[in-house]
Amino acid sequence: SKMIKIPTGYHIAQFSKNGKMLSICGYLGRVRIVDTKTGKTLYQMTVKGTGTGTATILHQDFSSDNQYFAFSCNRKVYVFACQETGK
């Protein structure tokens, strides 16, 4: 098994339903999706906060078919289509 290091500033983590991806989100609006087998980052972004504040990711989830990933912050829900790598 491979250990995935999670940097500071992240506070929630969740596996995709098939266990192939791990999403980690944080206090500074950080979103990262990691390949659980290799530990490589598949996707990452930073959401800007409103005004002078920072964005805090409150909730996150993968769809039951692993096709979509969603998270909430800034009183919005962001939804992304997941594209698996390593085919």
Side-chain angles (χ1 to χ4, degrees), residues 25-41:
C25 296
Y27 295 107
L28 304 174
R30 295 180 182 153
V31 177
R32 183 179 293 185
I33 297 177
V34 178
D35 182 305
T36 55
K37 198 170 196 176
T38 65
K40 290 184 178 178
T41 298

Side-chain angles (χ1 to χ4, degrees), residues 7-35:
T8 55
Y10 292 88
H11 67 284
I12 55 176
Q14 183 168 353
F15 286 99
S16 61
K17 305 302 189 268
N18 61 8
K20 293 183 179 182
M21 296 174 282
L22 173 68
S23 62
I24 52 176
C25 296
Y27 295 107
L28 304 174
R30 295 180 182 153
V31 177
R32 183 179 293 185
I33 297 177
V34 178
D35 182 305

Side-chain angles (χ1 to χ4, degrees), residues 35-53:
D35 182 305
T36 55
K37 198 170 196 176
T38 65
K40 290 184 178 178
T41 298
L42 300 173
Y43 179 80
Q44 78 178 45
M45 72 175 290
T46 301
V47 180
K48 293 192 185 306
T50 56
T52 57

